[in-house]
Amino acid sequence: MSEIVAEDHDWDIRPSDSSLRTKNPIRAIVDNMKVAPHPDKDLISLSIGDPTIFGNFKTHSTVVDAVIESLQSFKYNGYSHSCGYTESRAAVAKRFSAPEAPLTADDVVLASGCSHAIHMCIDALANPGDNVLVPMPGFSLYEVVAEYKSVDVRHYQLLADRNWEVDLAHLESLIDDRTAAIVVNNPSNPCGSVYSAEHLKQILAVAERKRVPIIADEIYAHMT
């Protein structure tokens, strides 16, 4: 029987460089907010983009019943395909398919929420030293994920006097041969603006001209 002898020195477990680069400014603010409740009024918190957490928005019974039915069927208790169940991906493809851009289940990868989808997109497109273009003002997680992966972040300006549309000239000026993607957030977080079809086509024209893929964050599309 072999004997393991511990070396005579203290533990020295060091955090990785990527973990030291990872800081979420939203959590730093929200987790430390301490607001005394009003004695006569209920609090409606607007600090987190989740209307369900304080009971202001309840999940519809259609969704709840579907989840219960799936659980009770015992068909979905094991591992799924790494991209998600085929029938689920087919349903997503059907919902978002268009004649000019037909989709099938093979075009869909399911994620564990929008934050996970952002991780996967940046991870799939960008290498260390590449850059991604993100809106300013914008959702801070894009920068958090990029910096974790040693990907540079360049902020393109949004125009407050034009309902927070993209400054197209500034956007294009930031693109170089290491630009891996352009993040377009529509409807915008935190500005709340919704771009017109014409403006979206203008953004697409820049991306097509420069041959840069777009990461389209449209998580609030049906809440505006």
Side-chain angles (χ1 to χ4, degrees), residues 134-139 155-159 164 185 188-191:
V134 305
M136 183 179 65
F139 185 39
H155 298 90
Y156 62 84
Q157 296 172 356
L158 303 182
L159 302 172
W164 302 103
N185 183 204
S188 169
N189 175 10
C191 301

Side-chain angles (χ1 to χ4, degrees), residues 15 39 44 46 51 67 69 71-72 80 82 88 93 96-97 113 137 145 148 167 175 183 185-186 198 208:
I44 299 177
L46 302 178
V67 172
E69 182 180 350
L71 289 172
Q72 292 180 339
S80 69
S82 59
S88 301
F96 292 100
S97 191
V145 173
Y148 171 78
D167 184 331
I175 298 173
V183 176
N185 183 204
N186 178 54
E198 178 183 1
E208 184 172 14

Side-chain angles (χ1 to χ4, degrees), residues 28-131:
I29 295 172
V30 172
D31 290 348
N32 290 291
M33 288 180 64
K34 301 187 185 309
V35 180
H38 192 284
D40 302 319
K41 296 182 179 180
D42 293 334
L43 173 68
I44 299 177
S45 176
L46 302 178
S47 61
I48 300 177
D50 182 355
T52 68
I53 194 168
F54 296 104
N56 302 320
F57 181 86
K58 293 180 172 56
T59 304
H60 195 274
S61 59
T62 303
V63 177
V64 175
D65 293 342
V67 172
I68 292 173
E69 182 180 350
S70 294
L71 289 172
Q72 292 180 339
S73 74
F74 298 104
K75 295 179 180 179
Y76 306 101
N77 291 357
Y79 290 120
S80 69
H81 186 283
S82 59
C83 294
Y85 287 107
T86 301
E87 56 266 44
S88 301
R89 291 185 285 124
V92 172
K94 181 179 179 181
R95 170 64 181 82
F96 292 100
S97 191
E100 60 274 18
L103 300 174
T104 70
D106 291 337
D107 298 308
V108 177
V109 177
L110 300 182
S112 299
C114 189
S115 296
H116 181 218
I118 293 169
H119 271 270
M120 288 197 296
C121 288
I122 293 178
D123 202 19
L125 293 171
N127 290 309
D130 287 345
N131 63 79

Side-chain angles (χ1 to χ4, degrees), residues 154-186:
R154 297 180 179 179
H155 298 90
Y156 62 84
Q157 296 172 356
L158 303 182
L159 302 172
D161 58 348
R162 295 180 57 179
N163 196 29
W164 302 103
E165 287 188 345
V166 175
D167 184 331
L168 297 169
H170 185 237
L171 172 68
E172 189 161 358
S173 72
L174 298 175
I175 298 173
D176 62 18
D177 59 357
R178 295 299 301 271
T179 301
I182 301 170
V183 176
V184 177
N185 183 204
N186 178 54

